[in-house]
């Protein structure tokens, strides 16, 4: 690792284990630790040695099908054990895994766009598109396939600058951008996390967010390299699987913990910290050492709910373009911050106050797949990443994220929404002159509307917004509307000289009204919400509530 200048905002430099090549070039002999997962409607498990052996069999089959080092293999499926087997098999061949969101693309489109050798999906197999269900059959074969792969031993492994995965941005702000992730960047992030959290024998890390996101697969790699259990679930089965597998660590977005908090509160009084701790532990299997969150802003009340009862919830910060930048952790935690900067990362703020992130081994220095101008907007000639977040560092080196400078809202479920795409059709509804959409760190979007005329019919407006919701992606839907007493104007400070929304002033003026909406309309927008009426209220300075 290159020499680094001491920096009070960062933790000490730590040695880096080559996790990717450990998985790619060695046979795991660990029969003590296990991977737990749901299969055929029940919870099953394999030792890590069994997992590795089955992944080798899958690698042999992939070799038979023509996959070689540096080839790209796409996986477009939800969390399932076959996903993990495929990913590990790809690493053993020295190839590249492309994790792709199910349902967003046609398989033929993805094959061509990413230059995939094979693409695995749920059902519909033809040609280069394979049914992911057949992977389990390959894994359980007693006669190893792929003689060429087996005869040559393990694959060739990776150099630090080699690509081992393709990751995509969420795409909520438009067409997802694709990034080729370097092996060195993955190894450095896993090493820094291991130094902070010391995942070890006795630990069981629960992964339920989509493993198409490369960072979620880190915890599986960590199990194979550092010797601990890991559990694979999904957002629907997470609590059921937690009770069956008793994890010590759960990785989740703030929205998951908001739901868990509401579930605990609904079950009975939780003012007593010990009672609250017992209730939280019971929901998650009873053996939690700590909880991990990031990807979206976490509310202080939610953080306090867990931390104050002795179930640590550590918030961190990172982007697809940077991976983990900072993290609260045992021995260095400050609620409200996103922790201290990782040892191999460096940060600064430009003249506009935007957070700039650099690293010794970047994820990459460009998008491979993006629209015109995207690379120039995000990546600096130095290789640093412009985050478009505004923040500050306190006197003890803790980083705080204070907001964003652009029009992207990040819901508590880690979904990014470009709000002008929602405001444009909302503005066209009857009775609306102008509007501003909010929801950063919240479970769903809300809006403040500037009325087209006095005496807005709130019930009619609620029906119109509900009809609009049916045409929007689920993360773009609005479940609460505040009707302002007057139109937005330059004179009242809600529009600037170019007649653009002054979001900071709108948030300040109507923040209390929006908070009341969230208190009354308790919806968590996780994609399963249906049939929810839109709550329309009048701003406190205006007419009575509808």
């Amino acid at each position: 690792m290159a020499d680094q200048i001491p920096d009070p905002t960062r933790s000490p430099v730590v040695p880096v284990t080559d996790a990717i090549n450990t998985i790619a070039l060695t046979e795991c002999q660990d029969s003590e630790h296990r991977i737990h997962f749901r299969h055929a409607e029940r919870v099953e498990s394999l030792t890590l040695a069994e997992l590795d052996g089955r992944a080798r069999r899958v690698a042999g089959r992939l070799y038979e099908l023509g996959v070689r080092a540096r080839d790209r293999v796409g996986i477009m499926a939800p969390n399932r054990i076959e996903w993990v087997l495929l990913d590990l098999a790809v690493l053993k061949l020295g190839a590249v895994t492309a994790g792709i969101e199910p349902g967003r693309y046609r398989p033929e489109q993805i094959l061509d766009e990413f230059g995939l050798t094979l693409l695995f999906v749920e059902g519909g197999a033809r040609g280069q598109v394979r049914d992911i269900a057949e992977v389990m059959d390959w894994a359980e074969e007693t006669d190893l396939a792929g003689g060429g792969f087996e005869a040559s031993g393990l694959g060739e492994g990776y150099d630090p600058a080699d690509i081992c995965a393709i990751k995509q941005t969420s795409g909520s702000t438009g067409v997802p951008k694709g990034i080729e992730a370097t092996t060195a960047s993955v190894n450095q992030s896993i090493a820094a996390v291991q130094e902070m959290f010391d995942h070890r024998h006795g630990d069981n890390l629960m992964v339920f967010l989509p493993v198409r996101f490369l960072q979620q697969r880190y915890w599986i790699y960590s199990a194979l390299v550092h010797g601990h259990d890991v559990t694979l679930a999904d957002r629907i089965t997470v609590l059921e699987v937690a009770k069956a597998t008793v994890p010590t660590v759960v990785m989740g977005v703030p929205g998951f913990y908001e739901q868990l908090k509401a579930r605990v509160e609904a079950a009975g009084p939780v003012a007593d910290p010990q009672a609250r701790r017992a209730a939280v532990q019971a929901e998650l299997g009873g053996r939690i050492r700590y909880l991990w969150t990031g990807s979206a802003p976490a509310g202080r009340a939610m953080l306090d709910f867990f931390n104050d009862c002795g179930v640590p919830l550590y918030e961190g910060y990172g982007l697809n373009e940077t991976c983990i930048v900072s993290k609260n952790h045992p021995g260095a935690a400050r609620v409200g911050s996103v922790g201290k900067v990782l040892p191999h990362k460096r940060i600064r703020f430009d003249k506009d106050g935007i957070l700039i992130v650099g690293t010794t081994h970047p994820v990459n220095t460009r998008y491979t797949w993006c629209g015109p101008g995207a690379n120039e907007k995000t990546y600096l000639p130095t290789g640093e990443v412009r985050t478009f977040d505004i923040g500050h560092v306190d006197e003890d080196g803790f980083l705080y994220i204070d907001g964003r400078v652009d029009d992207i809202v990040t819901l508590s479920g880690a979904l990014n929404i470009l709000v002008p795409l929602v405001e444009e059709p909302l503005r066209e509804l009857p009775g609306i002159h102008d509007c501003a959409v909010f929801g950063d760190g919240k479970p769903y979007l809300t809006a403040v509307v500037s009325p087209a005329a006095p005496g807005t019919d709130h019930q009619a407006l609620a029906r119109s917004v509900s009809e609009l919701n049916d045409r929007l992606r689920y993360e773009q839907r609005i479940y609460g509307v505040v009707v302002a007493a007057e139109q937005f104007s330059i004179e009242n400070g809600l529009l600037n000289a170019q007649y653009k929304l002054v979001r900071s002033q709108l948030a300040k003026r109507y923040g209390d009204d929006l908070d009341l909406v969230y208190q009354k309309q308790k919806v968590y927008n996780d994609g399963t919400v249906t049939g929810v009426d839109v709550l329309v209220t009048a701003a406190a300075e205006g007419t009575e509530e509808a």
Side-chain angles (χ1 to χ4, degrees), residues 500-535:
K500 294 181 179 179
L501 298 171
V502 183
R503 295 186 187 277
S504 60
Q505 288 300 315
L506 283 159
K508 182 178 180 180
R509 185 170 302 185
Y510 298 106
D512 289 343
D513 298 299
L514 293 171
D515 286 343
L516 285 173
V517 169
Y518 288 111
Q519 291 175 28
K520 296 177 180 178
Q521 182 81 310
K522 295 187 179 300
V523 177
Y524 178 64
N525 189 9
D526 63 354
T528 64
V529 175
T530 58
V532 175
D533 293 330
V534 175
L535 176 65

Side-chain angles (χ1 to χ4, degrees), residues 10-90:
R10 294 190 285 173
S11 306
V13 176
V14 298
V16 174
T17 298
D18 191 345
I20 294 300
N21 277 321
T22 298
I23 294 167
L25 297 175
T26 63
E27 295 185 42
C28 179
Q29 303 295 324
D30 187 347
S31 296
E32 185 173 10
H33 302 108
R34 308 184 74 87
I35 181 169
H36 310 274
F37 55 92
R38 273 179 60 89
H39 181 67
E41 301 303 318
R42 65 180 185 270
V43 176
E44 300 182 5
S45 71
L46 297 169
T47 68
L48 297 184
E50 289 171 333
L51 175 71
D52 187 80
R54 294 186 182 202
R56 283 175 52 78
R57 293 178 186 136
V58 175
R61 279 295 189 185
L62 293 179
Y63 188 91
E64 272 194 341
L65 292 170
V67 178
R68 299 293 185 269
R70 313 303 177 255
D71 284 348
R72 298 166 180 166
V73 176
I75 309 175
M76 192 164 66
N79 287 7
R80 50 191 294 170
I81 189 61
E82 293 90 344
W83 217 118
V84 175
L85 289 166
L86 274 172
D87 181 54
L88 297 177
V90 168

Side-chain angles (χ1 to χ4, degrees), residues 34-254:
R34 308 184 74 87
I35 181 169
H36 310 274
F37 55 92
R38 273 179 60 89
H39 181 67
E41 301 303 318
R42 65 180 185 270
V43 176
E44 300 182 5
S45 71
L46 297 169
T47 68
L48 297 184
E50 289 171 333
L51 175 71
D52 187 80
R54 294 186 182 202
R56 283 175 52 78
R57 293 178 186 136
V58 175
R61 279 295 189 185
L62 293 179
Y63 188 91
E64 272 194 341
L65 292 170
V67 178
R68 299 293 185 269
R70 313 303 177 255
D71 284 348
R72 298 166 180 166
V73 176
I75 309 175
M76 192 164 66
N79 287 7
R80 50 191 294 170
I81 189 61
E82 293 90 344
W83 217 118
V84 175
L85 289 166
L86 274 172
D87 181 54
L88 297 177
V90 168
L91 291 180
K92 291 184 180 300
L93 290 169
V96 180
T97 298
I100 301 160
E101 181 181 356
R104 186 180 280 272
Y105 310 93
R106 292 178 292 102
E108 297 79 9
Q109 174 189 359
I110 286 298
L111 281 168
D112 181 62
E113 183 171 341
F114 287 97
L116 303 178
T117 302
L118 294 173
L119 172 63
F120 288 84
V121 302
E122 288 194 317
R126 58 188 179 281
Q128 292 171 274
V129 180
R130 310 288 301 212
D131 187 343
I132 196 170
E134 65 183 323
V135 172
M136 186 59 79
D137 294 332
W138 298 346
E140 294 176 345
E141 289 174 337
T142 55
D143 295 327
L144 284 175
F149 166 69
E150 288 301 323
S152 63
L154 296 167
E156 300 176 0
Y158 300 83
D159 290 332
D162 282 344
I163 304 304
C164 63
I166 294 170
K167 57 197 301 191
Q168 286 187 299
T169 61
S170 69
S172 295
T173 58
V175 178
K177 296 178 282 290
I179 310 167
E180 294 180 298
T182 62
T183 299
S185 71
V186 174
N187 286 333
Q188 278 197 324
S189 292
I190 293 174
V193 169
Q194 182 63 16
E195 179 70 14
M196 288 187 289
F197 292 99
D198 186 25
H199 297 139
R200 58 189 184 270
H201 172 70
D203 270 327
N204 177 8
L205 277 59
M206 168 160 272
V207 179
F208 72 91
L209 299 176
V211 290
R212 70 174 183 272
F213 296 126
L214 175 59
Q215 184 182 316
Q216 298 307 310
R217 307 202 295 276
Y218 287 2
W219 321 123
I220 297 166
Y221 304 161
S222 174
L224 289 161
V225 173
H226 295 297
H228 57 76
D229 282 16
V230 63
T231 294
L232 179 68
D234 56 44
R235 65 176 178 80
I236 296 173
T237 64
V238 54
L239 294 180
E240 172 193 346
V241 174
K243 289 181 175 65
T245 62
V246 290
T248 60
V249 179
V250 176
M251 313 289 183
V253 294

Side-chain angles (χ1 to χ4, degrees), residues 49 112 252 289 367:
D112 181 62
R289 178 158 76 93
Y367 299 116

Side-chain angles (χ1 to χ4, degrees), residues 480-496:
V481 174
V482 172
V483 180
E486 58 180 348
Q487 292 187 351
F488 307 159
S489 67
I490 296 173
E491 291 72 22
N492 61 26
L494 301 180
L495 299 179
N496 66 16

